[in-house]
Every structure is written in C-alpha cells, then in structure tokens.
Amino acid sequence: MKFEITPGVDWVGKIDWELRKFHGEEYSTHRGSSYNAYLVRDEKTALIDTVWSPFAKEFVNNLDKEIDLNQIDYVIANHAEMDHSGALPLLMHRIPDKPVYCTANGLKSLKGHYHKDWNFQVVKTGDKLSLGKKELIFVEAMMLHWPDSMMEYLTGDAILFSNDAFGQHIATEHMFNDLVDQSELFEEATKYYANILTPFSPLVTKKINEVVAFNLPVNFICPSHGVIWRDNPLQIAQKYLQWAADYQENQISIIYDTMWDGTRMLAEHIARGIKQADDKVTVKLFNISRRDINDVVTEVFKSKAILLGSPTINKGILNAMSALIEMITGLKFKKKKAAAFGCYGWSGESVKILTDHLSKAGFEMIGDGFKAMWQPGDEALAQALAFGKDFAGKV
Ligand code: FEO
C-alpha cells in the first residue's frame, strides 16, 4: 500500500492492524499502529525512515515496485528504534553505498543496533540537503524521545517530518487527521504523549518554540505513527504545548488493587466523600489489576490528584500497583497531589509504602493516608468518606 500526500511525496510505510502490545509488553495499542515511511521525489529522491523489522521484507518488496531502489539517492534515518529502522539492514543490503543521514547520536545508536558501517552522513540542526527545487532542512530533536531523534522540514511543500513526535498508535485506512474519528484520534494522541513524552515535557516546549520561531509555513505534519496532520496541522503542536505545561483537568483518579474487596470498598467511599465535597470534580475509579496500565497512566496524566490504594500483603503492596508505581515514577509527573489508602490485617505497611513511593515520584502528598484494619465496617467506611471529603478540600 502507498498513497500520495502531495505531488512528489508518498507514504510508503506499513499499517499494522494486529499490533496490541508495543515496546515489548510496555505499551498497549488497542487500535493497532502504523510505521510511516515517506518517499520524497524531486530531481533527487529521499526515503525518510523505514518500518519495523518483521515487515522489512514486505516493505522493501513494495518499495522495489514503487521505485528502482537504485534511484533512491538519500536515506534519512530519523531514529534508530527498530519500529523505524528495522528494515534498514535489508534495504542497505540492496543499496549499500547510498548515504544514510542521521544525527551524531543516531550514528551511535544505528551502529549499536546493526553493527554496520553504512555510508553515514551526520547532520545537525539547520543543515540542508537539496533535492532539486526543494530541500530538506534537518532539525535535531534530542530526547523527543531518544537522544538520536531527528525531524526535517521539506521546503516548497511545507512538510514537517516529525518522527515519533505528534504520533498516535492507530491503524486506519484513513491516514489523514480530518478523516478519522476525532475523539479516538485525540484519545490516542493523549495516551501517546502521556506514556512516552511526559518526562521530556520541558524539551517539548523548547523544541516547538524553536521550530515556530523559524516562522515557516506548515502544510503537513507527518509523524512516524498514525495519521498525518493536514487539517490545521499545528493544532497538535498547540496541544503538545498544553500537555507539556504540567497538564491537568479537574479530575481525581482513585486507583486501587484489592484482595477481598476491602480496599475497593474504601475506594468507593473515598470517591463518594470527594463528590460530596465537590460536585464539579470528575472522580474516576480504576482497579489496576483489571485495567490496562497505559490507559490508567493516561488518566493519571489528566488528573490534578490521585489516590493509590492497596491492601498489605507480606509487608508490601500488591504487584499490579508496584508496576504502576514504577511507571509513574519514570514519567516524572509534576504539580499533582496524592494520598494513599488500604486495608490490612495484622501489620499494615501498605499505606506508608505507597506514600513514600508517591513522594519520591514527585507527587505532593496530602497527609499520611488512610488505613482500615480487617474488612471495613460502617465506622471505617464513614471514616473513608470523611477522608475523601477532606482530600477534596485540600486539592
Ligand atoms: Fe516509534 Fe521511538 O519509536
């Protein structure tokens, strides 16, 4: 499959309808994904990125039907992660002398992955590559989201090839932003930002402002996953600026795990207390062992405050909660408030453990949390409700 974006620029990637887990098991992709590669033809021809390794043969075969591979003058490798560089070994086997353009960090990561001495051409921000009437201007995008990440701007057609930035994990036959369901598109774009780009938010702001300062027209933003932004393409850059500014909605998320329903009952009474204190705030409850962790992380991203709950087991917490804590610690959320709660039988360490983890993860803790011994009875549930009310009043 290929399609034209504008005369002289074609999408030549792969739509992966089956993908449900990405980065190993790290990221859920309920709607599949795509690996976007682009062919830019002028007097010279440039191939921008490739596809994930399992589709390398299919990609090179399709490309071979589209163009004599020897007619490709330049290969651009924006990022070494295998979902974009995975077909390079097979492609470069066919055209071993063609130059491969990448950043200085790209040179390290591509060599580190493939151990090949391809004809690497290292570029930096502002370097230009003439294709004839048009030229590609390279923009290093370090830590968006890898040290090697790079974008380029195509003059004439005014296209920003942004690699992972502005992407979404969506498989669709309608590969433009104006042709897909808008709520699904922004749900996936938000999840992508929350789970991948949150730790790099200060760099997102800096890079977008740097690109905007060039004052160049932008007709298309072509990311390496999901749909191409052609209808008001800068809307996604505006969204990124909002998301990078310690984004939060008027939402409190209560995330818990439970063994015999005691901690669930606390969660539900805390939620009731929050709503009694503030009927405007959105309160959402998630049993972390029954929910997709990346979807829950997205809800943390949207929240102004979270409550984590776990019963105590073996002087610790339940393992689904441990996985969530690991993830939200790495994502370095800022300006969010939090508290912990949980049931216990004879020792009761879970609330302190959760409180310590949340504090280390950068959350502003509201109190020492709430715990209830054995199965919560009427008195404990009333206390949980009061705890929720008090929490709502402090966030
Ligand atoms: Fe889509 Fe960082 O790879």
Side-chain angles (χ1 to χ4, degrees), residues 165-168 175-177 182 185-186 189 218-223 225 227-236:
F166 310 127
Q168 342 82 42
M175 286 290 288
F176 293 99
N177 69 310
Q182 296 301 290
L185 172 59
F186 280 95
V218 177
N219 292 337
F220 301 89
I221 293 179
C222 292
H225 296 289
V227 302
I228 292 158
W229 301 88
R230 69 174 178 187
D231 174 37
N232 184 13
L234 289 175
Q235 66 176 299
I236 189 60

Side-chain angles (χ1 to χ4, degrees), residues 140-187:
E140 291 166 277
M142 189 187 279
M143 298 319 295
L144 298 181
H145 67 127
W146 269 25
D148 62 2
S149 298
M150 180 171 78
M151 308 177 182
E152 50 279 322
Y153 178 81
L154 178 66
T155 62
D157 296 320
I159 301 177
L160 179 68
F161 296 97
S162 62
N163 196 255
D164 277 327
F166 310 127
Q168 342 82 42
H169 286 301
I170 297 177
T172 172
E173 65 210 312
H174 306 297
M175 286 290 288
F176 293 99
N177 69 310
D178 51 310
L179 301 182
V180 296
D181 182 290
Q182 296 301 290
S183 62
E184 287 184 7
L185 172 59
F186 280 95
E187 184 183 316

Side-chain angles (χ1 to χ4, degrees), residues 22 79 81 83-84 145 164 225:
F22 188 66
H79 176 33
E81 207 166 4
D83 48 329
H84 309 298
H145 67 127
D164 277 327
H225 296 289

